[in-house]
Amino acid sequence: MYDVIVIGSGPGGYVAAIRAAQLGLKTAIIEKYSTLGGTCLNVGCIPSKALLDSSEHYHNAAHTFKTHGINLSNLKVDLKQMIARKDDVVKQNVDGIQFLMKKNKIDVHHGLGSFVDATTVKVSKEDGKSEEIKGKNIIIATGSKPASLPFIKLDKDRIITSTEALKMKEIPKHLIVIGGGVIGMELGSVYGRMGSKVSVVEYMDSLIPSMDKTMGKELQKSLKKLGFEFFLKHKVTAVESKGKEVTVKAENGKGETIEIKGDYVLVSIGRKPYTDGLNAEAAGVKLNDRGQVEVNEHLQTSASNIYAIGDVVKGAMLAHKAEEEGVFVAEVIAGQKPHINYNLIPGVVYTWPEVASVGFTEEQLKEKGVKYKTGKFPFMASGRARASMDTDGLVKVLADSETDEILGVHMIGPRTADMIAEAVVAMEYRASAEDISRMSHAHPTYTEAFKEACLAATENRALHI
Ligand SMILES: Cc1cc2nc3c(=O)[nH]c(=O)nc-3n(C[C@H](O)[C@H](O)[C@H](O)COP(=O)(O)OP(=O)(O)OC[C@H]3O[C@@H](n4cnc5c(N)ncnc54)[C@H](O)[C@@H]3O)c2cc1C
Protein backbone atom coordinates (compact mmCIF):
# COMPACT_ATOMS: atom_id res chain seq x y z
CA MET A 1 0.00 0.00 0.00
CA TYR A 2 1.53 3.27 -1.15
CA ASP A 3 0.78 6.52 0.68
CA VAL A 4 0.59 8.29 -2.70
CA ILE A 5 0.20 7.08 -6.28
CA VAL A 6 0.63 9.72 -8.97
CA ILE A 7 -0.83 9.03 -12.43
CA GLY A 8 1.12 10.97 -15.08
CA SER A 9 4.72 12.17 -14.97
CA GLY A 10 4.49 15.70 -16.43
CA PRO A 11 5.62 18.73 -14.41
CA GLY A 12 2.54 18.35 -12.20
CA GLY A 13 2.96 14.64 -11.55
CA TYR A 14 6.71 14.32 -11.12
CA VAL A 15 6.90 17.37 -8.86
CA ALA A 16 4.01 16.04 -6.73
CA ALA A 17 5.86 12.72 -6.43
CA ILE A 18 9.12 14.39 -5.39
CA ARG A 19 7.41 16.59 -2.78
CA ALA A 20 5.44 13.62 -1.41
CA ALA A 21 8.67 11.60 -1.10
CA GLN A 22 10.43 14.55 0.57
CA LEU A 23 7.63 14.56 3.14
CA GLY A 24 8.30 10.91 3.95
CA LEU A 25 5.37 9.43 2.02
CA LYS A 26 5.83 6.12 0.21
CA THR A 27 5.26 7.14 -3.39
CA ALA A 28 4.76 5.59 -6.83
CA ILE A 29 4.34 7.25 -10.21
CA ILE A 30 2.68 5.75 -13.30
CA GLU A 31 3.53 6.92 -16.82
CA LYS A 32 2.13 5.42 -20.00
CA TYR A 33 5.05 6.51 -22.20
CA SER A 34 8.57 5.12 -21.97
CA THR A 35 10.03 8.50 -20.95
CA LEU A 36 9.07 10.65 -17.97
CA GLY A 37 8.38 14.40 -18.06
CA GLY A 38 5.03 14.52 -19.87
CA THR A 39 4.05 17.01 -22.52
CA CYS A 40 6.32 19.73 -21.17
CA LEU A 41 9.61 17.88 -21.39
CA ASN A 42 8.88 15.63 -24.37
CA VAL A 43 6.72 17.64 -26.78
CA GLY A 44 6.12 21.02 -25.14
CA CYS A 45 8.08 23.62 -23.19
CA ILE A 46 11.57 22.17 -23.55
CA PRO A 47 11.73 21.09 -27.22
CA SER A 48 9.95 24.26 -28.35
CA LYS A 49 12.46 26.42 -26.46
CA ALA A 50 15.36 24.43 -27.93
CA LEU A 51 14.10 25.13 -31.47
CA LEU A 52 13.28 28.74 -30.61
CA ASP A 53 16.86 29.26 -29.43
CA SER A 54 18.37 27.57 -32.50
CA SER A 55 16.17 29.47 -34.97
CA GLU A 56 16.87 32.76 -33.19
CA HIS A 57 20.61 32.16 -33.54
CA TYR A 58 20.13 31.57 -37.26
CA HIS A 59 17.95 34.65 -37.63
CA ASN A 60 20.51 36.83 -35.89
CA ALA A 61 23.33 35.37 -37.94
CA ALA A 62 21.37 36.16 -41.10
CA HIS A 63 20.03 39.58 -40.12
CA THR A 64 21.90 41.32 -37.31
CA PHE A 65 25.45 39.94 -37.27
CA LYS A 66 26.50 42.17 -40.17
CA THR A 67 25.52 45.29 -38.21
CA HIS A 68 27.48 43.94 -35.24
CA GLY A 69 30.49 43.73 -37.58
CA ILE A 70 30.45 39.98 -38.03
CA ASN A 71 30.42 38.74 -41.61
CA LEU A 72 29.47 35.18 -42.44
CA SER A 73 29.31 33.42 -45.75
CA ASN A 74 27.48 30.24 -46.80
CA LEU A 75 25.07 30.51 -43.90
CA LYS A 76 22.45 27.79 -44.04
CA VAL A 77 20.18 25.81 -41.78
CA ASP A 78 20.89 22.14 -41.13
CA LEU A 79 17.39 21.24 -39.96
CA LYS A 80 18.28 17.62 -39.29
CA GLN A 81 21.02 18.70 -36.87
CA MET A 82 18.75 21.31 -35.30
CA ILE A 83 16.11 18.66 -34.59
CA ALA A 84 18.80 16.23 -33.36
CA ARG A 85 20.09 18.84 -30.88
CA LYS A 86 16.52 19.42 -29.71
CA ASP A 87 16.12 15.65 -29.20
CA ASP A 88 19.32 15.60 -27.19
CA VAL A 89 18.11 18.45 -24.98
CA VAL A 90 14.86 16.53 -24.39
CA LYS A 91 16.82 13.37 -23.54
CA GLN A 92 18.99 15.19 -21.00
CA ASN A 93 15.86 16.54 -19.32
CA VAL A 94 13.81 13.32 -19.27
CA ASP A 95 16.84 11.34 -18.05
CA GLY A 96 17.15 13.96 -15.31
CA ILE A 97 13.61 13.16 -14.12
CA GLN A 98 14.41 9.44 -14.12
CA PHE A 99 17.40 10.24 -11.89
CA LEU A 100 15.25 12.37 -9.56
CA MET A 101 12.74 9.53 -9.16
CA LYS A 102 15.56 7.19 -8.17
CA LYS A 103 17.15 9.72 -5.85
CA ASN A 104 13.85 10.23 -4.03
CA LYS A 105 13.10 6.48 -3.93
CA ILE A 106 9.92 6.83 -5.96
CA ASP A 107 8.73 3.63 -7.68
CA VAL A 108 8.20 4.21 -11.40
CA HIS A 109 5.59 2.03 -13.16
CA HIS A 110 5.42 2.33 -16.95
CA GLY A 111 1.99 1.63 -18.45
CA LEU A 112 -1.51 3.06 -18.72
CA GLY A 113 -3.01 3.71 -15.31
CA SER A 114 -6.74 3.08 -14.91
CA PHE A 115 -8.83 3.06 -11.76
CA VAL A 116 -10.23 -0.22 -10.51
CA ASP A 117 -11.69 1.52 -7.47
CA ALA A 118 -10.82 4.55 -5.31
CA THR A 119 -7.63 2.97 -3.92
CA THR A 120 -6.59 0.57 -6.69
CA VAL A 121 -4.98 1.42 -10.03
CA LYS A 122 -4.35 -1.11 -12.77
CA VAL A 123 -1.19 -0.50 -14.78
CA SER A 124 -1.46 -1.99 -18.30
CA LYS A 125 1.95 -2.37 -19.87
CA GLU A 126 2.89 -2.28 -23.54
CA ASP A 127 3.67 -6.01 -23.61
CA GLY A 128 0.05 -6.78 -22.71
CA LYS A 129 0.81 -7.62 -19.07
CA SER A 130 -0.72 -5.70 -16.18
CA GLU A 131 -0.39 -5.24 -12.44
CA GLU A 132 -2.52 -3.62 -9.77
CA ILE A 133 -1.13 -1.23 -7.18
CA LYS A 134 -2.87 0.27 -4.18
CA GLY A 135 -2.61 3.73 -2.65
CA LYS A 136 -4.20 5.57 0.27
CA ASN A 137 -4.10 8.75 -1.82
CA ILE A 138 -4.03 9.10 -5.60
CA ILE A 139 -3.11 12.17 -7.63
CA ILE A 140 -4.41 12.46 -11.20
CA ALA A 141 -1.89 14.39 -13.32
CA THR A 142 -2.76 13.11 -16.77
CA GLY A 143 -2.38 16.46 -18.52
CA SER A 144 -3.73 17.46 -21.90
CA LYS A 145 -3.62 16.83 -25.64
CA PRO A 146 -3.89 19.24 -28.61
CA ALA A 147 -7.46 20.31 -29.35
CA SER A 148 -8.85 20.52 -32.87
CA LEU A 149 -12.04 21.49 -34.67
CA PRO A 150 -14.58 18.79 -35.58
CA PHE A 151 -14.20 19.35 -39.34
CA ILE A 152 -10.38 19.26 -39.34
CA LYS A 153 -8.78 15.92 -40.10
CA LEU A 154 -5.34 16.05 -38.49
CA ASP A 155 -3.32 13.87 -40.87
CA LYS A 156 -0.13 14.69 -38.88
CA ASP A 157 1.70 15.00 -42.20
CA ARG A 158 0.53 18.29 -43.75
CA ILE A 159 -2.19 19.17 -41.23
CA ILE A 160 -0.24 19.03 -38.00
CA THR A 161 -0.25 19.84 -34.28
CA SER A 162 2.58 21.23 -32.16
CA THR A 163 3.92 17.68 -31.68
CA GLU A 164 4.67 17.26 -35.41
CA ALA A 165 5.86 20.87 -35.73
CA LEU A 166 8.68 19.95 -33.33
CA LYS A 167 10.06 17.26 -35.64
CA MET A 168 9.70 18.62 -39.18
CA LYS A 169 11.78 17.10 -41.96
CA GLU A 170 11.78 20.28 -44.03
CA ILE A 171 11.27 23.98 -43.49
CA PRO A 172 7.76 24.83 -44.71
CA LYS A 173 7.57 27.22 -47.64
CA HIS A 174 4.28 28.57 -46.37
CA LEU A 175 3.06 27.60 -42.92
CA ILE A 176 -0.54 28.45 -42.11
CA VAL A 177 -1.09 28.72 -38.37
CA ILE A 178 -4.64 28.35 -37.08
CA GLY A 179 -4.81 30.12 -33.73
CA GLY A 180 -2.89 33.23 -32.66
CA GLY A 181 -2.16 31.95 -29.15
CA VAL A 182 1.10 31.15 -27.41
CA ILE A 183 1.97 27.83 -29.08
CA GLY A 184 1.08 29.05 -32.59
CA MET A 185 3.16 32.21 -32.25
CA GLU A 186 6.16 30.36 -30.81
CA LEU A 187 6.22 27.60 -33.43
CA GLY A 188 5.31 30.04 -36.20
CA SER A 189 8.36 32.07 -35.12
CA VAL A 190 10.65 29.03 -35.30
CA TYR A 191 9.90 28.53 -39.00
CA GLY A 192 9.33 32.22 -39.83
CA ARG A 193 12.88 32.94 -38.66
CA MET A 194 14.20 30.25 -40.99
CA GLY A 195 12.44 31.64 -44.05
CA SER A 196 8.91 30.18 -44.03
CA LYS A 197 6.12 32.50 -44.98
CA VAL A 198 3.75 32.38 -41.99
CA SER A 199 0.04 33.21 -42.18
CA VAL A 200 -1.92 33.34 -38.95
CA VAL A 201 -5.69 32.90 -38.87
CA GLU A 202 -7.22 33.92 -35.53
CA TYR A 203 -10.88 34.07 -34.51
CA MET A 204 -10.41 36.91 -31.99
CA ASP A 205 -9.41 40.50 -32.81
CA SER A 206 -5.88 40.23 -31.38
CA LEU A 207 -3.01 37.81 -30.94
CA ILE A 208 -2.43 36.11 -27.55
CA PRO A 209 -5.97 37.26 -26.70
CA SER A 210 -5.95 36.24 -23.03
CA MET A 211 -3.10 38.64 -22.28
CA ASP A 212 -3.22 42.45 -21.92
CA LYS A 213 -4.30 43.88 -25.30
CA THR A 214 -1.16 46.05 -25.60
CA MET A 215 0.94 42.88 -25.68
CA GLY A 216 -0.95 41.38 -28.63
CA LYS A 217 -0.66 44.63 -30.60
CA GLU A 218 3.08 44.97 -29.97
CA LEU A 219 3.75 41.31 -30.74
CA GLN A 220 1.87 41.64 -34.01
CA LYS A 221 4.10 44.59 -35.00
CA SER A 222 7.26 42.59 -34.28
CA LEU A 223 6.08 39.45 -36.05
CA LYS A 224 5.04 41.52 -39.07
CA LYS A 225 8.69 42.58 -39.36
CA LEU A 226 9.52 38.87 -39.51
CA GLY A 227 7.17 38.57 -42.51
CA PHE A 228 4.09 37.12 -40.77
CA GLU A 229 0.69 37.95 -42.26
CA PHE A 230 -2.40 38.02 -40.09
CA PHE A 231 -6.06 37.26 -40.61
CA LEU A 232 -7.61 38.37 -37.32
CA LYS A 233 -11.36 38.09 -36.69
CA HIS A 234 -11.44 35.19 -39.15
CA LYS A 235 -13.29 31.97 -38.45
CA VAL A 236 -11.79 28.88 -40.08
CA THR A 237 -14.48 26.89 -41.88
CA ALA A 238 -12.50 24.27 -43.81
CA VAL A 239 -9.02 22.75 -43.93
CA GLU A 240 -8.04 20.47 -46.78
CA SER A 241 -4.90 18.79 -47.93
CA LYS A 242 -4.15 17.47 -51.42
CA GLY A 243 -0.71 16.14 -52.17
CA LYS A 244 1.76 18.73 -50.91
CA GLU A 245 -0.78 21.54 -50.86
CA VAL A 246 -3.03 22.59 -48.01
CA THR A 247 -5.95 24.99 -48.21
CA VAL A 248 -7.54 26.86 -45.34
CA LYS A 249 -10.86 28.61 -45.81
CA ALA A 250 -12.00 31.25 -43.33
CA GLU A 251 -14.91 33.70 -42.97
CA ASN A 252 -14.03 37.29 -42.24
CA GLY A 253 -17.15 38.37 -40.36
CA LYS A 254 -18.65 40.20 -43.36
CA GLY A 255 -19.81 36.90 -44.80
CA GLU A 256 -16.84 36.76 -47.16
CA THR A 257 -14.69 33.65 -47.39
CA ILE A 258 -10.97 33.84 -47.95
CA GLU A 259 -8.79 30.99 -49.08
CA ILE A 260 -5.12 30.58 -48.09
CA LYS A 261 -2.90 27.98 -49.72
CA GLY A 262 0.32 26.69 -48.20
CA ASP A 263 2.28 23.50 -47.72
CA TYR A 264 1.63 22.91 -43.98
CA VAL A 265 -1.14 23.87 -41.55
CA LEU A 266 -0.39 24.01 -37.84
CA VAL A 267 -3.56 23.64 -35.80
CA SER A 268 -2.89 25.39 -32.50
CA ILE A 269 -6.27 26.36 -31.13
CA GLY A 270 -5.56 25.19 -27.59
CA ARG A 271 -5.37 21.98 -25.63
CA LYS A 272 -7.97 19.73 -24.01
CA PRO A 273 -7.79 17.78 -20.75
CA TYR A 274 -6.78 14.15 -21.18
CA THR A 275 -8.48 11.35 -19.25
CA ASP A 276 -8.73 8.61 -21.92
CA GLY A 277 -8.39 5.13 -20.43
CA LEU A 278 -8.29 6.48 -16.86
CA ASN A 279 -11.66 4.94 -15.96
CA ALA A 280 -12.26 7.80 -13.52
CA GLU A 281 -15.88 6.80 -12.89
CA ALA A 282 -14.77 3.50 -11.27
CA ALA A 283 -13.27 5.60 -8.48
CA GLY A 284 -16.22 7.99 -8.25
CA VAL A 285 -14.22 10.85 -9.82
CA LYS A 286 -16.44 13.33 -11.69
CA LEU A 287 -15.48 15.24 -14.83
CA ASN A 288 -17.12 18.56 -15.74
CA ASP A 289 -18.71 19.39 -19.09
CA ARG A 290 -15.33 20.58 -20.42
CA GLY A 291 -13.80 17.18 -19.74
CA GLN A 292 -11.73 18.51 -16.82
CA VAL A 293 -11.51 16.59 -13.55
CA GLU A 294 -13.66 18.53 -11.12
CA VAL A 295 -11.82 19.67 -7.99
CA ASN A 296 -12.51 21.80 -4.91
CA GLU A 297 -10.18 24.49 -3.49
CA HIS A 298 -7.94 21.75 -2.05
CA LEU A 299 -7.69 20.18 -5.54
CA GLN A 300 -9.63 17.25 -4.13
CA THR A 301 -11.94 15.40 -6.54
CA SER A 302 -15.41 14.03 -5.81
CA ALA A 303 -13.59 11.03 -4.25
CA SER A 304 -12.02 12.38 -1.05
CA ASN A 305 -8.67 10.50 -1.26
CA ILE A 306 -8.16 11.40 -4.94
CA TYR A 307 -6.72 14.73 -6.05
CA ALA A 308 -6.11 16.21 -9.51
CA ILE A 309 -3.60 18.82 -10.73
CA GLY A 310 -2.20 20.54 -13.81
CA ASP A 311 -3.69 20.70 -17.29
CA VAL A 312 -6.38 18.14 -16.47
CA VAL A 313 -8.07 20.58 -14.04
CA LYS A 314 -9.31 24.16 -14.44
CA GLY A 315 -6.92 27.08 -14.75
CA ALA A 316 -3.98 28.13 -16.90
CA MET A 317 -2.39 25.28 -18.87
CA LEU A 318 1.15 26.03 -17.78
CA ALA A 319 3.94 23.83 -16.50
CA HIS A 320 4.72 26.05 -13.48
CA LYS A 321 1.02 26.14 -12.50
CA ALA A 322 1.02 22.32 -12.61
CA GLU A 323 4.20 22.27 -10.47
CA GLU A 324 2.71 24.58 -7.84
CA GLU A 325 -0.35 22.34 -7.67
CA GLY A 326 1.85 19.23 -7.38
CA VAL A 327 3.61 20.66 -4.32
CA PHE A 328 0.29 21.91 -2.92
CA VAL A 329 -1.44 18.52 -3.08
CA ALA A 330 1.54 16.61 -1.64
CA GLU A 331 1.57 19.04 1.30
CA VAL A 332 -2.22 18.79 1.77
CA ILE A 333 -1.89 14.98 1.90
CA ALA A 334 0.90 15.35 4.48
CA GLY A 335 -1.44 17.45 6.65
CA GLN A 336 0.07 20.86 5.89
CA LYS A 337 -1.85 24.00 4.92
CA PRO A 338 -0.24 25.28 1.70
CA HIS A 339 -1.49 28.14 -0.47
CA ILE A 340 -1.32 29.05 -4.17
CA ASN A 341 -1.86 32.61 -5.37
CA TYR A 342 -3.34 31.90 -8.81
CA ASN A 343 -3.37 35.61 -9.68
CA LEU A 344 0.41 35.63 -9.49
CA ILE A 345 1.16 32.79 -11.87
CA PRO A 346 3.06 34.47 -14.68
CA GLY A 347 2.36 33.81 -18.35
CA VAL A 348 5.13 33.87 -20.93
CA VAL A 349 5.35 33.73 -24.72
CA TYR A 350 8.85 32.81 -25.95
CA THR A 351 8.73 34.70 -29.22
CA TRP A 352 11.31 37.41 -29.86
CA PRO A 353 10.63 39.83 -28.35
CA GLU A 354 9.40 37.71 -25.46
CA VAL A 355 6.08 38.53 -23.81
CA ALA A 356 5.58 38.08 -20.07
CA SER A 357 2.78 39.03 -17.82
CA VAL A 358 1.51 38.72 -14.24
CA GLY A 359 -1.53 39.96 -12.36
CA PHE A 360 -4.49 41.80 -13.82
CA THR A 361 -4.68 43.04 -17.40
CA GLU A 362 -5.91 46.57 -18.11
CA GLU A 363 -9.10 45.08 -19.56
CA GLN A 364 -9.75 43.11 -16.35
CA LEU A 365 -9.22 46.18 -14.15
CA LYS A 366 -11.68 48.17 -16.29
CA GLU A 367 -14.21 45.37 -16.03
CA LYS A 368 -13.79 45.20 -12.24
CA GLY A 369 -14.15 48.98 -11.97
CA VAL A 370 -10.78 49.33 -10.19
CA LYS A 371 -9.21 52.80 -10.43
CA TYR A 372 -5.69 52.33 -11.75
CA LYS A 373 -2.81 54.29 -13.21
CA THR A 374 -0.44 53.17 -15.93
CA GLY A 375 3.32 53.54 -16.31
CA LYS A 376 5.05 52.56 -19.53
CA PHE A 377 8.65 52.44 -20.61
CA PRO A 378 9.76 51.46 -24.13
CA PHE A 379 12.89 49.36 -24.69
CA MET A 380 13.82 51.87 -27.39
CA ALA A 381 14.89 54.14 -24.50
CA SER A 382 16.96 51.43 -22.76
CA GLY A 383 20.73 51.62 -23.15
CA ARG A 384 21.02 47.85 -22.66
CA ALA A 385 18.43 47.15 -25.37
CA ARG A 386 20.18 49.52 -27.80
CA ALA A 387 23.49 47.76 -27.15
CA SER A 388 21.98 44.39 -28.02
CA MET A 389 19.79 45.70 -30.86
CA ASP A 390 16.62 44.55 -29.10
CA THR A 391 14.64 47.75 -28.96
CA ASP A 392 11.16 46.40 -29.79
CA GLY A 393 8.60 46.41 -27.00
CA LEU A 394 7.86 48.00 -23.65
CA VAL A 395 7.09 47.42 -20.00
CA LYS A 396 3.62 48.39 -18.76
CA VAL A 397 2.86 48.65 -15.05
CA LEU A 398 -0.68 48.96 -13.73
CA ALA A 399 -0.94 50.29 -10.16
CA ASP A 400 -3.84 51.16 -7.90
CA SER A 401 -4.56 54.92 -8.25
CA GLU A 402 -4.99 55.38 -4.52
CA THR A 403 -2.62 52.94 -2.83
CA ASP A 404 0.00 52.68 -5.62
CA GLU A 405 0.01 48.87 -5.17
CA ILE A 406 1.15 47.10 -8.34
CA LEU A 407 -1.83 45.21 -9.78
CA GLY A 408 -0.46 43.98 -13.09
CA VAL A 409 2.81 43.96 -15.02
CA HIS A 410 2.95 43.31 -18.75
CA MET A 411 6.21 43.20 -20.63
CA ILE A 412 7.21 42.63 -24.22
CA GLY A 413 10.89 42.83 -24.99
CA PRO A 414 14.24 41.10 -24.62
CA ARG A 415 14.44 38.48 -21.84
CA THR A 416 11.14 39.51 -20.28
CA ALA A 417 10.50 35.80 -19.59
CA ASP A 418 13.20 36.09 -16.93
CA MET A 419 12.43 39.69 -15.95
CA ILE A 420 8.84 38.91 -14.95
CA ALA A 421 10.11 37.11 -11.82
CA GLU A 422 10.89 40.49 -10.25
CA ALA A 423 7.29 41.57 -10.79
CA VAL A 424 6.03 38.32 -9.21
CA VAL A 425 8.18 38.88 -6.11
CA ALA A 426 7.10 42.51 -5.90
CA MET A 427 3.43 41.62 -6.17
CA GLU A 428 3.67 38.67 -3.78
CA TYR A 429 4.95 41.19 -1.19
CA ARG A 430 2.29 43.69 -2.30
CA ALA A 431 4.87 46.27 -3.35
CA SER A 432 3.84 49.70 -4.59
CA ALA A 433 5.19 51.12 -7.84
CA GLU A 434 7.18 53.55 -5.69
CA ASP A 435 8.80 50.65 -3.77
CA ILE A 436 10.29 49.37 -7.03
CA SER A 437 11.19 52.89 -8.14
CA ARG A 438 13.33 53.26 -5.00
CA MET A 439 15.29 50.03 -5.51
CA SER A 440 18.62 50.01 -7.31
CA HIS A 441 18.60 48.12 -10.61
CA ALA A 442 21.99 47.31 -12.14
CA HIS A 443 22.96 49.43 -15.11
CA PRO A 444 22.81 48.63 -17.92
CA THR A 445 20.20 45.87 -17.70
CA TYR A 446 16.83 45.24 -19.26
CA THR A 447 15.39 45.24 -15.72
CA GLU A 448 15.84 49.00 -15.56
CA ALA A 449 12.85 49.20 -17.91
CA PHE A 450 10.67 47.74 -15.12
CA LYS A 451 11.96 50.32 -12.65
CA GLU A 452 11.38 53.10 -15.19
CA ALA A 453 7.81 51.90 -15.86
CA CYS A 454 7.23 51.94 -12.08
CA LEU A 455 8.64 55.48 -11.94
CA ALA A 456 6.29 56.42 -14.77
CA ALA A 457 3.37 54.91 -12.83
CA THR A 458 4.35 56.61 -9.55
CA GLU A 459 4.32 60.27 -10.52
CA ASN A 460 5.04 60.13 -14.21
CA ARG A 461 8.69 60.60 -13.33
CA ALA A 462 10.54 58.12 -15.55
CA LEU A 463 14.13 59.34 -15.83
CA HIS A 464 15.25 58.18 -19.25
CA ILE A 465 12.37 59.27 -21.42
C1 LIG B 1 4.41 23.14 -27.82
C2 LIG B 1 4.13 23.45 -26.38
C3 LIG B 1 4.90 24.37 -25.71
C4 LIG B 1 4.66 24.65 -24.38
N1 LIG B 1 5.45 25.57 -23.76
C5 LIG B 1 5.24 25.86 -22.47
C6 LIG B 1 6.08 26.77 -21.80
O1 LIG B 1 7.03 27.30 -22.37
N2 LIG B 1 5.85 27.04 -20.49
C7 LIG B 1 4.79 26.46 -19.84
O2 LIG B 1 4.59 26.76 -18.66
N3 LIG B 1 3.97 25.58 -20.44
C8 LIG B 1 4.18 25.26 -21.74
N4 LIG B 1 3.39 24.34 -22.35
C9 LIG B 1 2.29 23.72 -21.57
C10 LIG B 1 2.84 22.62 -20.66
O3 LIG B 1 3.47 21.65 -21.45
C11 LIG B 1 1.70 22.00 -19.86
O4 LIG B 1 1.00 23.00 -19.18
C12 LIG B 1 2.25 21.01 -18.84
O5 LIG B 1 2.96 19.99 -19.49
C13 LIG B 1 1.12 20.40 -18.02
O6 LIG B 1 1.66 19.51 -17.11
P1 LIG B 1 0.83 18.28 -16.53
O7 LIG B 1 1.73 17.62 -15.54
O8 LIG B 1 -0.50 18.73 -16.10
O9 LIG B 1 0.56 17.31 -17.78
P2 LIG B 1 1.46 16.73 -18.96
O10 LIG B 1 2.75 17.39 -19.07
O11 LIG B 1 0.56 16.71 -20.15
O12 LIG B 1 1.75 15.24 -18.49
C14 LIG B 1 0.76 14.28 -18.36
C15 LIG B 1 1.40 12.91 -18.42
O13 LIG B 1 0.44 11.94 -18.03
C16 LIG B 1 0.59 10.79 -18.84
N5 LIG B 1 -0.69 10.07 -18.80
C17 LIG B 1 -1.89 10.49 -19.23
N6 LIG B 1 -2.84 9.58 -18.95
C18 LIG B 1 -2.21 8.56 -18.32
C19 LIG B 1 -2.65 7.33 -17.75
N7 LIG B 1 -3.94 7.00 -17.74
N8 LIG B 1 -1.72 6.52 -17.21
C20 LIG B 1 -0.40 6.86 -17.19
N9 LIG B 1 0.06 8.01 -17.68
C21 LIG B 1 -0.83 8.86 -18.23
C22 LIG B 1 0.91 11.38 -20.20
O14 LIG B 1 1.52 10.39 -21.02
C23 LIG B 1 1.85 12.51 -19.82
O15 LIG B 1 3.18 12.07 -19.79
C24 LIG B 1 3.61 24.01 -23.69
C25 LIG B 1 2.84 23.05 -24.34
C26 LIG B 1 3.10 22.76 -25.67
C27 LIG B 1 2.27 21.72 -26.35
Side-chain angles (χ1 to χ4, degrees), residues 7-13 30-33 37-40 43-45 48-49 111-113 141-144 162 166 183 186-187 271 274 276 278 309-312 317-320 322 350:
I7 309 178
S9 72
I30 306 172
E31 171 54 56
K32 70 173 183 160
Y33 289 126
T39 305
C40 179
V43 290
C45 329
S48 59
K49 265 80 263 179
L112 180 80
T142 51
S144 62
S162 55
L166 293 167
I183 294 175
E186 289 186 3
L187 293 174
R271 295 180 62 83
Y274 183 75
D276 290 7
L278 187 63
I309 57 173
D311 280 10
V312 80
M317 285 180 154
L318 292 169
H320 44 286
Y350 293 81

Side-chain angles (χ1 to χ4, degrees), residues 131-147:
E131 60 173 329
E132 283 188 5
I133 56 173
K134 282 188 170 284
K136 289 181 205 154
N137 300 283
I138 298 173
I139 304 174
I140 302 171
T142 51
S144 62
K145 283 273 175 276

